[in-house]
Amino acid sequence: QVQLVESGGGVVQPGGSLRLSCAASGFTFSSIGMQWVRQAPGKGLEWVAFIHYDGTNKYYADSVRGRFTISRDNSRNTLYLQINSLRAEDTAVYYCAKLWLYSAGWYSMDHWGQGTQVTVSS
Amino acid sequence: QSALTQPPSASGSPGQSVTISCTGTSSDVGAYHYVSWYQQHPGKAPKFIIYEVTKRPSGVPDRFSGSKSGNTASLTVSGLQPEDEADYYCSSYAGNYNLVFGGGTKLTVL
């Protein structure tokens, strides 16, 4: 069965950096696009970034472009999110999610991890 | 890119039907047939229930249905069951490689 396990979250000071990881199993990771989505405490979901199956194309939300970098290592079945210049408003649970294959485009996600908490605080 | 607009709450009794709206603009919901819906129970990851406005992935009960009119998409839950109590989120492609979510609706089964 599909499993997505995020790690790397923690408490970091404003301006700091973190690298989040998402270990994937149960499907052919190297063939499928992946997403990061975040959820601030008590708030709704916010799309963060998408990466194509081979890493050639990457898309970012305006709120994170230039500070966050999505990447993947298909040999390790792992998705990453490098987050720099952290701000208080980046405090959230960060989910990785797998692209739903049976739809045109990259707009739907059929499996989600349990998330990793990022807290930005001095 | 602004979030899509959803009512903060909705409710219904067991067996009834409830419809949750998701209002966007002519640049997102109104422009594309790429609206998805997700269900999220407290403390859990979201679950995928609708894609391309009306389609259900296998395993999702047919009590869940989606529709769209103009800039507003809707999710209808028929024959409400206690386990349907959850938060529901819509999302839409918004052009220019952007994806936008709604603010979420808390569905209460009375």
Side-chain angles (χ1 to χ4, degrees):
Chain A
Q1 70 280 19
V2 172
Q3 275 201 308
L4 298 169
V5 180
E6 301 93 338
S7 61
V11 180
V12 62
Q13 292 187 338
S17 299
L18 278 175
R19 188 175 82 156
L20 308 183
S21 300
C22 170
S25 61
F27 65 101
T28 306
F29 179 76
S30 59
S31 299
I32 298 177
M34 298 290 294
Q35 310 259 19
W36 286 99
V37 177
R38 67 183 181 182
Q39 187 169 32
K43 302 296 185 181
L45 301 173
E46 180 188 13
W47 174 69
V48 172
F50 168 77
I51 185 168
H52 276 258
Y53 70 96
D54 60 1
T56 53
N57 289 302
K58 307 172 186 180
Y59 312 138
Y60 297 93
D62 291 344
S63 58
V64 307
R65 188 177 294 112
R67 298 188 299 123
F68 289 17
T69 302
I70 189 171
S71 63
R72 64 191 296 158
D73 185 339
N74 286 344
S75 68
R76 296 177 182 271
N77 288 350
T78 302
L79 175 72
Y80 302 101
L81 186 69
Q82 178 68 41
I83 48 181
N84 299 329
S85 304
L86 277 160
R87 308 166 179 167
E89 55 265 35
D90 295 320
T91 294
V93 174
Y94 284 73
Y95 295 100
C96 68
K98 169 186 163 292
L99 185 67
W100 170 243
L101 279 182
Y102 303 102
S103 174
W106 53 274
Y107 323 118
S108 300
M109 294 152 269
D110 65 340
H111 285 86
W112 299 58
Q114 287 303 304
T116 186
Q117 175 72 50
V118 172
T119 301
V120 183
S121 174
S122 54
Chain B
Q1 185 64 42
S2 300
L4 306 176
T5 300
Q6 296 182 234
S9 62
S11 63
S13 299
Q16 289 187 332
S17 294
V18 171
T19 296
I20 297 170
S21 62
C22 169
T23 301
T25 69
S26 57
S27 298
D28 39 59
V29 175
Y32 304 99
H33 209 64
Y34 296 124
V35 175
S36 301
W37 288 90
Y38 301 88
Q39 175 194 64
Q40 187 181 34
H41 289 104
K44 300 294 187 181
K47 177 187 174 184
F48 179 48
I49 57 174
I50 295 285
Y51 69 103
E52 290 182 13
V53 179
T54 62
K55 299 177 182 178
R56 271 188 320 275
S58 60
V60 174
D62 60 6
R63 303 185 295 103
F64 293 89
S65 62
S67 62
K68 189 181 86 164
S69 178
N71 297 337
T72 299
S74 299
L75 173 73
T76 298
V77 186
S78 306
L80 271 174
Q81 298 186 2
E83 59 265 33
D84 298 333
E85 185 161 298
D87 294 327
Y88 290 83
Y89 294 92
C90 60
S91 72
S92 174
Y93 181 57
N96 293 321
Y97 307 109
N98 268 306
L99 191 64
V100 62
F101 280 92
T105 297
K106 181 178 179 60
L107 175 60
T108 300
V109 180
L110 302 170

